Amino acid sequence: MRQRSDFLAANGGLRVGTPGFVLLVKSRADQNAQARIGYTVTKKTGNAVVRNRIKRRFRELARALLPEHGIAGADHVLIGRTDALTRDFAAMKADLERALARVREGKASSDRRPQHGKPRRR
């Protein structure tokens, strides 16, 4: 995934948090059964070297796990946290397996924050 609109759409989907990352999964409305993946790491996490290293770890996780554990026809987004750089790779792999299983079982949270602004009067 490369377009910002795809990332924003995934933000409205299911979410599972782990120590190294947050996984967002949103089913697409199209008939394409391919699972897509996107990565994002904010500048709060570190400089460009740190962010790119975290994204490289995420790409390797996705290569290893998404073909067999990913949800078909859905967009997956991994949002990096600071612990993603120092966390053991085997532990991150287990975290991603658990997170994908939670999404498949429907145990992931869907709406995490309230609407901003004043409530509408009806």
Side-chain angles (χ1 to χ4, degrees):
M1 294 179 13
R2 295 199 182 264
Q3 293 183 343
R4 184 172 190 268
S5 60
D6 293 336
F7 284 89
L8 292 176
N11 195 29
L14 299 175
R15 121 183 358 251
V16 178
T18 67
F21 56 85
V22 176
L23 173 68
L24 305 175
V25 178
K26 172 92 175 179
S27 181
R28 292 190 311 270
D30 60 3
Q31 300 300 322
N32 190 353
Q34 182 181 6
R36 296 191 313 174
I37 183 82
Y39 317 98
T40 182
V41 183
T42 65
K43 287 186 177 182
K44 292 179 189 177
T45 308
N47 63 12
V49 174
V50 169
R51 294 192 310 268
N52 287 330
R53 189 172 295 157
I54 291 171
K55 285 190 270 188
R56 282 196 303 270
R57 295 186 86 190
F58 286 167
R59 280 193 286 275
E60 188 55 36
L61 280 174
R63 271 189 215 109
L65 295 176
L66 219 57
E68 64 182 65
H69 294 289
I71 290 86
D75 289 339
H76 303 71
V77 176
L78 288 172
I79 301 173
R81 289 184 170 169
T82 308
D83 286 348
L85 185 63
T86 58
R87 190 160 172 83
D88 184 44
F89 190 77
M92 284 181 57
K93 196 171 181 179
D95 288 344
L96 184 56
E97 284 179 17
R98 258 192 313 273
L100 289 168
R102 286 183 58 107
V103 169
R104 251 185 268 105
E105 295 166 2
K107 294 184 179 179
S109 63
S110 58
D111 192 13
R112 68 180 180 102
R113 45 179 117 152
Q115 293 283 337
H116 291 290
K118 294 181 182 178
R120 291 187 178 179
R121 292 177 58 180
R122 294 180 185 200

